[in-house]
Amino acid sequence: MTGYGIFSTPGTAPRTGVQVNGQILDLAAATGDPVHATGSLNAFLAQGPAGWAALRERIAHLDGPMISPAEVTMHLPAEIADYVDFYSSRHHAENIGRIFRPGSPPLTPNWTHLPIGYHGRAGTVRVSGTPVVRPKGQRKPPEAAPTFGPSLRLDIEAEVGFVVGVPSALGESVPVSAFAEHVFGVCLINDWSARDLQAWEYVPLGPFLGKSFLTSMSPWIVPLADLEAARVRPPARDEPLLPYLDDADHPWGLDLAMEVRLNGELISTPPFAGMYWSAAQQLAHLTVNGAALRTGDLFASGTVSGPERDQRGSLIELSWNGADPLKLADGSTRTFLEDGDVVTISATAPGAGGTRISFGEVTGRIEPAT
Ligand SMILES: O=C(O)/C=C/C(=O)CC(=O)CC(=O)O
Ligand SMILES: [Ca+2]
Ligand SMILES: [Mg+2]
């Protein structure tokens, strides 16, 4: 067993399924429980760890319709409540700092003290496969007035997403020790980014229209409960952590091996295990001011980049802002995305008993601007 998702077959309503031995078990039919017939995981997510564990136990003994993945359409797995995106790969942050802020230190002074993030747009989080229509907006050539038009620097960001099940009250904080009491599971995210729009608009309030046009999410959510074998200790931190971020007793690094493909060709293998800030620290930081969590909240890790060139999770890094184009197997080169390009991000992680868990994929094809 691995992920939970929302599927339909031709002529039937979207409902909850769970992956069992490469097939999909129809949980609405197998359990008769209306919670699994709503077309979203939210009601199940809200049940919390006891409900999640009880179903997991039951699935091992359930008989029900098993459906081939080839026969289904996958839907957005949850109604997304709020969406937050962090910036927790040191390699990514240093690369972007060097590209966007040459002449300044690559990391801002706050970076090693807190997980930097921004609130994104929940309503434009869509399921894998949703067409990526090239966004339009303002971009400013150097030494010239701003112009308006389709983004000329459309990019990807390979990320890992965390889906909240159990809400928290306004005024309450969720400590790193309570991470698994609130977060149900893990998915893959592509935080599509228009670098030309972003570079012009982001000062001083951060990413806005350059990232809000679409965020793609993989259809399967792998429960944290299945990821015990993937847990690793995050890298040593440069600065002493404030107590609310101290994760020494609750390490939530995860050893996901990610793969990024452009038109089928493997262009990067970002390692998630090296992320500086863990998802448990991100959640503690997100709520330390008393901000409430809601069922269906999604927060993403930030672009996952490793120390090597072929471990970078975005094209702006892989092509060094276009200065060093990526060479593709067919002899062509790429700086940023072209219309018709297909980008697919996948990942696996160690599972129980030496197995490997697959996170499936998040994919999207670039369509011309309208
Ligand atoms: O450093 C900046 O100005 C912006 C960097 C990003 O592109 C932010 C972002 O989406 C965070 C991430 O994915 O790591
Ligand atoms: Ca991002
Ligand atoms: Mg986005």
Side-chain angles (χ1 to χ4, degrees), residues 23-34:
Q23 301 255 294
I24 300 166
L25 172 64
D26 179 339
L27 282 174
T31 63
D33 185 342

Side-chain angles (χ1 to χ4, degrees), residues 4-8 14-17 39-41 73-78 219-220:
Y4 289 76
I6 300 295
F7 76 97
S8 62
R15 57 202 183 273
T16 303
S40 128
L41 293 178
T73 299
M74 297 305 298
H75 303 268
L76 190 68
W220 296 105

Side-chain angles (χ1 to χ4, degrees), residues 85-87 92 96 100-101 118 157 159 191 195 198 202 211 302-303:
D85 191 23
F86 284 95
Y87 191 40
H92 173 71
I96 292 285
F100 273 13
R101 294 173 284 276
Y118 68 94
E157 289 192 330
E159 306 198 18
D191 181 25
R195 300 300 180 188
Q198 179 186 351
Y202 89 99
K211 287 166 181 284
T303 311

